Amino acid sequence: MTASVPEQPRIPQPPETVTALRQAVAKIAPAALPSFSRELDQAADEARQAADLAPLRRFTAQWALYVQIQRHPAVAERFRELEDLATVGDADQARRAAAELGRILDAARAALTQGRQ
């Protein structure tokens, strides 16, 4: 019996800049690029209207979290499965799926925080 080897990330976690995140999304989840661009445009418009960078900070934080999850194919696949279960399952199944989604998100946030230190 062999011990399972932890899955290696597909790419290193990029810095939380628009350019680096766009490049990462293009490599690991190119189908998400239209959403990335649409949400970036919206965040930039909100930032201009409010004369505040908070919308752009939220945008980069959200997409850094997305990339953190997508870098790990098995985690990304499980995340997609849980999203489906949360919307099509019965109430108990949806609660369990939502709880596991929360754990995945918490672990991804912790990894990002650790990477900044």
Side-chain angles (χ1 to χ4, degrees), residues 26 34-35 38-39 41 48 85 87-88 90 92 101-102 107 113 115:
S35 292
R38 197 171 37 257
E39 291 176 24
D41 290 345
R48 270 191 303 276
L85 285 172
T87 59
V88 299
D90 62 33
D92 191 48
L101 283 166
T113 300

Side-chain angles (χ1 to χ4, degrees), residues 13 64-65 68-69 71-72 75 79 99-115:
Q13 180 67 29
L65 187 62
Q68 174 62 26
I69 291 168
R71 292 171 56 231
H72 303 276
V75 175
F79 196 87
E100 190 174 341
L101 283 166
R103 288 189 292 275
I104 292 171
L105 289 167
D106 288 345
R109 281 188 200 96
L112 288 173
T113 300
Q114 182 180 10

Side-chain angles (χ1 to χ4, degrees), residues 15-110:
E16 287 186 30
T17 66
V18 171
T19 300
L21 291 169
R22 181 184 290 118
Q23 290 170 348
V25 170
K27 286 180 186 175
I28 61 173
L33 280 173
S35 292
F36 182 95
S37 295
R38 197 171 37 257
E39 291 176 24
L40 173 58
D41 290 345
Q42 183 179 3
D45 288 346
E46 290 174 15
R48 270 191 303 276
Q49 290 171 1
D52 182 6
L53 293 178
L56 289 169
R57 286 189 196 105
R58 281 191 300 275
F59 170 83
T60 56
Q62 172 190 328
W63 281 92
L65 187 62
Y66 176 83
V67 168
Q68 174 62 26
I69 291 168
Q70 295 300 313
R71 292 171 56 231
H72 303 276
V75 175
E77 178 60 27
R78 182 64 180 153
F79 196 87
R80 284 187 292 277
E81 290 169 1
L82 291 165
E83 286 179 317
D84 289 343
L85 285 172
T87 59
V88 299
D90 62 33
D92 191 48
Q93 189 177 34
R95 276 191 293 281
R96 286 192 309 271
E100 190 174 341
L101 283 166
R103 288 189 292 275
I104 292 171
L105 289 167
D106 288 345
R109 281 188 200 96

